[in-house]
Amino acid sequence: MLLSNRILWGILVAVLISGIGEDAAFSQTLNITLDAKQPGRTFEGIGAVSAGASSRLLIDYPEPQRSQILDYLFKPNYGASLQHLKVEIGGGVNSTDGTEPTHMLTRGDMNFTRGYEWWLMQQAKLRNPNVMLDCLAWGAPGWIGGGNYYSQDMCDYIASFIDGAKTNYGLTINFTGTHNEASLSKTATAWMKQLRTTLNASGLQNVQLVAADEGGGTWNIVTNTGYGLLYDSVLSNDIARVGAHYPQSTSPAGAQNCGKILWSSEDGIGGSTWRAATNLAKIFNRNYINGRISGTEIWSPITSYYDNLAASDSGLMRANTPWSGNYQIAPAIWITAHTTQFAAPGWKYLEGGASTMLSGGGSLITLLSPNQTDYSVIVETSDASSPQTITFRLTNGLSTTSVNIWQSTQTNQFMNLGSLNPVNGVFTYTFLPGCVYTLSTTTGQAKGNAVPVAAAPFPLPFKDNFESYIPGTTPKYFSDQAGTFEIFSRADGQGQALRQILSQDGIRWTAEWQPYSLIGDASWTDYEVSEDVLIETNGGSAFIMGRVGSVPGFTNPLPDGYWLALNNAAFQWQLYASTNLIAWGAANASVQVWHNLRLAMHGSSLSCYIDQTLVTNIVDFSYASGMAGLGCGGWYGAEFDNFTLRQLHGGNIDLALSATASASSVWQNDPTYSAGMVNDGDPTTRWNTAYPTLPNGWLELDWPTPVTFNRTAYLQYSRRIFGYQIQHWNGSSWITDTNCGTMGAYATDILPTVTASKVRLVLTNMTSAPSLYEFSVYNDAVFQANQTQPVWLNEWMVNNTHTLIDPATGQYEPWFEIYNETVTNVNLAGYYLTTTVTNLHQFQIPSGYSLAPHGFLLVWADGLSSQNMGQDLHADFSLQSPSFLALLTDNGQMIDAVNIKPQGADVSSGSNPDGDPGILNLVSATPGNSNNQIWALPSACFLTNQVMVLNFISFPYTSNRIMTANSLQGSVWMPVATLFSDGLGNFTYANSNAVSKQQFYRAITP
């Protein structure tokens, strides 16, 4: 009788709601009974998948930030409180955003220190001993099964990974998958049974199989009549969990009724926006409501990979700038906490209407504690448009104590709103639209309070000589995209170097290019990369990379950028723009010999050096910005040392940065895909059109005053544009400047020089929903006319605390200096200085200021232009970091520009020697004077009684002579060595015949 009444009530509510107006229906109170005697399936937990090199940069974070991040992921009642961690069994192949190293390079190799997944599992267990550990292989080393994944070798490989985790780190892996998102067949399912047998024979009987991790939400492992577990009892006995990837919160009846626990063994994706977080809330609830899926794992726990790689921003939080220590706690962390902090694996879903879709939009699940009294209700109202009031009735032993209420909104997440007390086992609550709630009788939940440090750019200049690492490890900030690069001891005894160690291609999961590793920032424009390389193999090559703006990934593995190679097979140097060979020449490319490669990118000018000799200086517009990197031409040994990066004085100015962007449409009206993303200077954000995209959709840039330009450039996402026009506004109508076909990942168009206040890109042929990272506009005529520049921004200091007092204020103000490298006087009157691309005429230099030949002008950024009396110059702006500083002629032509990076107290940056295009941190500030100095660094170091080491900083890439004398009084200075300084000006002299008597040393640059 009681059951009949419940059914009648449910029918009555449905009839009432369907028979009245929408607003009135939403104002009705929905009644839900929470009945401890109506349990459903067992909750298996929420976890995350560290795979595809998604966690690569996390291990490089400094403390305490690294521990704070890990707390937000794994610490119970602090952040996401993840209950599962699945890691990739590295195979040395690209698995989305890079390669994860293998623990077995060869059949006889066993190295359980490679990679970072061991460390991550340890850290998860340290914070939550109850966290469940899973593993899964994406690909495998090439020696496995002679290239056949479904082999006994692969069974042994997985077993060795699991056993190695236990033996070396005390980690018990609870579950293993079989093969990530692979096509199923009888061969594959037969191998799964072989894997189960192998695990049992290896003493790993307690490790349970999850199968088959099929992509696209397919469930063939269950339903296929040729090999599915419904038709193979042995396979059914061997598989403990049925896992599908991205099932869209559905599963077929065959899966729901197969007698197996269902998982969404990869889902999400995460992401840092509120929209992404609410999508997760839907997944966590609806996976069970609609799919009877009781365990969910999200890819990925954290975005600890570079943003220009495939599938960017997948994590529950972000931490991909380890040099700064900054991280971002995304809303997804707290959406996850709404479940994980209130229920643990082993709890039960409640049925009888207690886990259901809401008629007004959204969903609700109820989880019951093993104590049969405590419960938690998780409600998401993502799709609701009006408040919904629900009355809950508690029966059959459920606790009637206070119910604690937690809420997340777009602006505030995981707020404790207090509690309410049921009356006679009944309570009512009104849920606002667009929110996530948890109502629970449990206590102890908390919102972590660690605060991230401020973000900071990658520290340039940068050098890594690889001496500070343990052999066999990966150096900081490098992200291998193909192959495996690790530290090893050089054969010549000269310390350590980086080496590509894979000798053959692997069993791939996705397409790969040749072995290479990336580092840095995708927004870098003008900089220089240099590296010592050694080719080990006849016919081999080694290269450095620059301006790698994007790596599409998956079926298109080619990085979009430049690479300068030394090729032993052709005995040539070769400069490529992606796959296009744009310059080449003869070169000494002998194997087993160290050579230096250097690529300087300054605007559209590319300068290539081989062993310090300039071999070409060409103009190319293919790529404007991107990361640096290194690599080799195949799966063989190649060595790299003294990797050096330094910023260069700015090339051309992207005029788009000072424009306002608008577009004909935006994807789902989501501001994260707005038109402004194309001119924000960040090549990882993008504008996306709505879908479907209407013909002649457009993207427009508007300037407050007309600008002159003759080139446009585009960085495209996913190559969806096959026809487009560039138009400018002539004051009354749009004029077409060029009509183009297919736009690649990066494209540029040279136009007739025009002056206009508007420019737009019109889409004439496209597929899907076109998307652009960047839309740039240049005036190359200005830049090329000033390639040989007479005046430089030579030195600057932002954080002046006690170096030099500003005479106008009596305070220590920021300053910079301008240098004239010519032999004639330069009149600066009418020239412009600016700290913003949105106002290139920010400050005009008054009359009375000129630069003598090789002279210097000191400029105070103190805002006191009224103090200009013809001596020091006072600009009416302040100098901040990071920021931009440029010098332009009286007609607006750019002469020089620099990006101001963060500086320590009383540290100056600039050119050494004066007028050099490279930017370095100077050992000593020289305001208003020459930077041309050699510094001896303190202090001398005696390695033994007979060896003394002296360190100097000179000019970059310069020959230096070391002289010695016994006295400063009339002694003859004797030459003892000639040494070459590196890209930062550093060089070291080691005297192996040092004696105890007094001796003096002098370093001289010719």
Side-chain angles (χ1 to χ4, degrees):
M1 187 64 181
L2 185 59
L3 178 60
S4 298
N5 284 339
R6 289 199 189 108
I7 294 173
L8 179 59
W9 173 248
I11 295 171
L12 179 60
V13 169
V15 170
L16 285 172
I17 290 177
S18 63
I20 58 180
E22 180 180 349
D23 290 341
F26 283 175
S27 68
Q28 299 296 308
T29 297
L30 177 64
N31 287 267
I32 292 180
T33 298
L34 306 184
D35 186 350
K37 299 300 184 183
Q38 292 205 43
R41 302 190 181 207
T42 300
F43 174 61
E44 292 261 298
I46 291 175
V49 183
S50 174
S54 59
S55 303
R56 163 63 195 94
L57 297 173
L58 177 56
I59 197 170
D60 293 341
Y61 264 75
E63 292 292 353
Q65 287 77 29
R66 188 171 68 180
S67 289
Q68 292 169 2
I69 294 165
L70 292 162
D71 286 347
Y72 276 114
L73 291 173
F74 299 111
K75 185 178 179 180
N77 293 332
Y78 189 86
S81 302
L82 291 171
Q83 296 157 334
H84 280 255
L85 173 63
K86 178 192 287 185
V87 301
E88 178 179 344
I89 302 174
V93 299
N94 187 290
S95 48
T96 299
D97 293 302
T99 64
E100 300 214 9
T102 172
H103 64 286
M104 295 179 69
L105 284 176
T106 63
R107 192 181 306 276
D109 177 48
M110 285 281 187
N111 186 329
F112 295 100
T113 62
R114 290 194 189 101
Y116 40 86
E117 302 293 8
W118 318 104
W119 166 81
L120 187 60
M121 287 189 286
Q122 282 184 299
Q123 294 301 312
K125 277 288 189 182
L126 179 66
R127 286 160 175 80
N128 180 8
N130 295 321
V131 71
M132 307 287 278
L133 299 178
D134 315 354
C135 63
L136 175 65
W138 268 242
W143 62 266
I144 293 284
N148 176 24
Y149 186 98
Y150 297 119
S151 61
Q152 183 60 47
D153 278 347
M154 193 62 202
C155 294
D156 295 337
Y157 186 76
I158 294 173
S160 68
F161 180 91
I162 298 170
D163 183 68
K166 182 69 173 179
T167 303
N168 293 275
Y169 299 101
L171 297 167
T172 297
I173 292 180
N174 307 98
F175 299 92
T176 183
T178 55
H179 191 187
N180 182 70
E181 296 177 3
S183 298
L184 285 188
S185 63
K186 284 187 177 181
T187 299
T189 55
W191 175 84
M192 292 177 192
K193 292 181 280 188
Q194 185 179 356
L195 174 60
R196 178 71 270 169
T197 300
T198 301
L199 293 175
N200 292 346
S202 302
L204 301 172
Q205 297 92 336
N206 292 330
V207 179
Q208 301 184 70
L209 284 189
V210 181
D213 293 302
E214 299 169 74
T218 54
W219 302 82
N220 290 322
I221 188 64
V222 176
T223 59
N224 187 280
T225 58
Y227 50 75
L229 60 81
L230 290 179
Y231 308 92
D232 185 334
S233 60
V234 176
L235 179 66
S236 181
N237 289 335
D238 286 345
I239 293 174
R241 304 289 189 276
V242 173
H245 287 193
Y246 305 96
Q248 303 297 310
S249 296
T250 62
S251 63
Q256 293 186 23
N257 298 320
C258 72
K260 299 293 180 183
I261 296 170
L262 306 185
W263 282 7
S264 176
S265 48
E266 183 177 320
D267 214 327
I269 300 172
S272 55
T273 66
W274 174 248
R275 182 187 294 269
T278 56
N279 285 338
L280 279 184
K282 294 179 185 180
I283 288 169
F284 294 151
N285 277 11
R286 301 179 191 191
N287 272 0
Y288 182 76
I289 295 167
N290 298 326
R292 290 298 180 258
I293 297 165
S294 58
T296 299
E297 296 176 312
I298 299 301
W299 185 76
S300 61
I302 190 163
T303 300
S304 278
Y305 56 97
Y306 291 117
D307 284 327
N308 62 336
L309 301 177
S312 62
D313 198 26
S314 68
L316 299 174
M317 62 185 295
R318 290 173 55 83
N320 62 357
T321 58
W323 48 85
S324 74
N326 175 257
Y327 57 89
Q328 300 167 41
I329 310 159
I333 287 287
W334 307 118
I335 296 306
T336 305
H338 270 283
T339 301
T340 56
Q341 289 202 28
F342 298 91
W347 284 44
K348 293 279 188 178
Y349 288 95
L350 285 185
E351 299 289 359
S355 297
T356 184
M357 299 298 294
L358 297 177
S359 58
S363 63
L364 171 153
I365 62 166
T366 306
L367 289 160
L368 175 66
S369 168
N371 67 19
Q372 299 295 302
T373 60
D374 284 316
Y375 62 91
S376 297
V377 180
I378 299 96
V379 180
E380 57 85 14
T381 58
S382 307
D383 301 331
S385 57
S386 300
Q388 300 177 80
T389 300
I390 302 177
T391 294
F392 296 92
R393 301 178 184 277
L394 310 173
T395 63
N396 286 320
L398 288 182
S399 174
T400 58
T401 59
S402 296
V403 179
N404 300 301
I405 304 170
W406 293 72
Q407 180 198 48
S408 287
T409 67
Q410 183 169 0
T411 54
N412 292 288
Q413 289 90 49
F414 213 59
M415 299 178 294
N416 187 344
L417 302 185
S419 62
L420 54 81
N421 295 309
V423 177
N424 296 323
V426 178
F427 66 91
T428 299
Y429 194 80
T430 299
F431 299 90
L432 300 178
C435 300
V436 178
Y437 295 86
T438 302
L439 286 68
S440 181
T441 57
T442 64
T443 59
Q445 295 78 20
K447 185 173 183 178
N449 57 7
V451 178
V453 297
F458 191 102
L460 293 179
F462 173 85
K463 180 180 178 180
D464 200 335
N465 60 12
F466 309 116
E467 298 298 331
S468 63
Y469 306 100
I470 298 171
T473 60
T474 302
K476 282 185 177 181
Y477 315 147
F478 281 90
S479 177
D480 299 348
Q481 298 302 300
T484 298
F485 296 79
E486 68 177 35
I487 304 298
F488 92 121
S489 298
R490 288 175 47 156
D492 59 7
Q494 299 300 306
Q496 296 184 157
L498 188 64
R499 182 173 184 263
Q500 200 292 119
I501 61 171
L502 295 187
S503 59
Q504 65 181 119
D505 197 359
I507 301 173
R508 293 178 174 178
W509 180 74
T510 189
E512 291 186 12
W513 193 50
Q514 51 202 9
Y516 73 106
S517 190
L518 293 177
I519 186 173
D521 190 326
S523 67
W524 285 345
T525 54
D526 300 291
Y527 68 98
E528 177 185 85
V529 55
S530 67
E531 177 85 37
D532 296 334
V533 301
L534 182 144
I535 304 166
E536 294 183 1
T537 306
N538 288 326
S541 66
F543 56 84
I544 55 175
M545 308 176 75
R547 289 185 178 171
V548 181
S550 67
V551 181
F554 301 114
T555 59
N556 180 11
L558 295 174
D560 295 316
Y562 296 111
W563 50 293
L564 173 63
L566 193 62
N567 189 326
N568 172 261
F571 259 71
Q572 289 182 335
W573 62 266
Q574 299 168 333
L575 178 64
Y576 288 84
S578 189
T579 57
N580 299 320
L581 182 62
I582 58 176
W584 65 94
N588 176 10
S590 302
V591 299
Q592 299 298 329
V593 175
W594 284 97
H595 299 278
N596 182 266
L597 307 181
R598 177 160 43 122
L599 174 61
M601 296 153 288
H602 184 245
S604 57
S605 176
L606 306 177
S607 300
C608 302
Y609 300 80
I610 306 296
D611 292 328
Q612 312 309 331
T613 299
L614 178 67
V615 294
T616 191
N617 188 358
I618 68 168
V619 172
D620 185 83
F621 296 109
S622 297
Y623 303 106
S625 64
M627 302 174 69
L630 54 85
C632 57
W635 274 260
Y636 45 71
E639 302 170 26
F640 308 85
D641 208 351
N642 298 312
F643 182 86
T644 305
L645 296 164
R646 62 175 187 158
Q647 179 190 354
L648 301 181
H649 287 245
N652 208 346
I653 293 178
D654 180 3
L655 300 172
L657 297 174
S658 61
T660 300
S662 59
S664 55
S665 68
V666 173
W667 177 263
Q668 298 181 348
N669 293 318
D670 186 342
T672 59
Y673 293 107
S674 68
M677 300 296 106
V678 300
N679 66 332
D680 62 353
D682 183 349
T684 65
T685 61
R686 57 188 172 95
W687 162 69
N688 213 115
T689 67
Y691 181 82
T693 303
L694 299 177
N696 298 315
W698 49 265
L699 175 66
E700 183 176 318
L701 298 174
D702 297 273
W703 290 274
T705 58
V707 299
T708 301
F709 59 90
N710 61 4
R711 182 167 66 90
T712 50
Y714 337 94
L715 182 61
Q716 184 186 188
Y717 170 79
S718 193
R719 292 174 169 85
R720 298 171 178 175
I721 300 174
F722 301 99
Y724 64 97
Q725 295 177 342
I726 297 298
Q727 302 175 342
H728 77 273
W729 181 253
N730 71 354
S732 59
S733 62
W734 289 102
I735 306 299
T736 299
D737 298 304
T738 186
N739 201 331
C740 303
T742 299
M743 178 191 292
Y746 185 89
T748 190
D749 293 307
I750 298 175
L751 315 171
T753 300
V754 298
T755 299
S757 61
K758 302 179 183 181
V759 65
R760 72 177 183 178
L761 181 151
V762 179
L763 302 171
T764 58
N765 186 10
M766 62 277 172
T767 185
S768 186
S771 183
L772 289 181
Y773 291 107
E774 294 294 298
F775 179 18
S776 301
V777 181
Y778 299 98
N779 184 1
D780 287 322
V782 170
F783 174 66
Q784 291 170 14
N786 290 282
Q787 285 284 302
T788 303
Q789 62 192 65
V791 179
W792 295 81
L793 298 167
N794 200 53
E795 186 179 2
W796 50 92
M797 179 182 288
V798 174
N799 194 9
N800 175 21
T801 65
H802 63 266
T803 297
L804 189 66
I805 293 178
D806 182 348
T809 67
Q811 303 296 318
Y812 293 100
E813 306 283 0
W815 57 265
F816 60 95
E817 72 178 17
I818 304 173
Y819 166 65
N820 175 14
E821 73 170 354
T822 72
V823 295
T824 60
N825 189 75
V826 176
N827 183 7
L828 295 177
Y831 281 38
Y832 292 96
L833 288 164
T834 183
T835 58
T836 171
V837 295
T838 62
N839 182 9
L840 297 179
H841 297 160
Q842 184 178 13
F843 171 71
Q844 189 170 34
I845 300 176
S847 60
Y849 287 90
S850 62
L851 279 172
H854 300 297
F856 303 87
L857 174 64
L858 184 63
V859 184
W860 292 98
D862 55 11
L864 298 175
S865 57
S866 60
Q867 297 295 312
N868 288 322
M869 306 295 180
Q871 298 179 359
D872 293 349
L873 179 66
H874 297 264
D876 61 1
F877 53 73
S878 181
L879 203 59
Q880 308 292 331
S881 66
S883 64
F884 169 81
L885 178 64
L887 174 68
L888 300 93
T889 64
D890 53 1
N891 63 0
Q893 294 183 354
M894 192 190 78
I895 297 176
D896 194 18
V898 294
N899 287 313
I900 307 295
K901 303 292 185 181
Q903 298 173 320
D906 296 289
V907 172
S908 72
S909 304
S911 300
N912 187 32
D914 298 322
D916 186 77
I919 297 174
L920 301 174
N921 293 327
L922 304 179
V923 175
S924 178
T926 58
N929 294 286
S930 175
N931 299 337
N932 296 352
Q933 299 182 43
I934 299 178
W935 289 276
L937 299 181
S939 63
C941 173
F942 283 92
L943 297 182
T944 69
N945 290 334
Q946 298 296 317
V947 179
M948 185 174 66
V949 175
L950 300 173
N951 297 303
F952 298 90
I953 293 184
S954 177
F955 306 153
Y957 306 115
T958 303
S959 179
N960 302 273
R961 291 177 294 150
I962 300 295
M963 315 284 287
T964 185
N966 294 327
S967 169
L968 295 179
Q969 305 296 324
S971 296
V972 176
W973 288 91
M974 302 295 296
V976 293
T978 299
L979 301 169
F980 202 82
S981 54
D982 66 13
L984 305 186
N986 298 297
F987 68 95
T988 298
Y989 170 65
N991 184 356
S992 59
N993 295 307
V995 293
S996 58
K997 66 180 182 179
Q998 177 175 274
Q999 201 161 22
F1000 298 90
Y1001 295 86
R1002 174 186 292 172
I1004 302 174
T1005 295

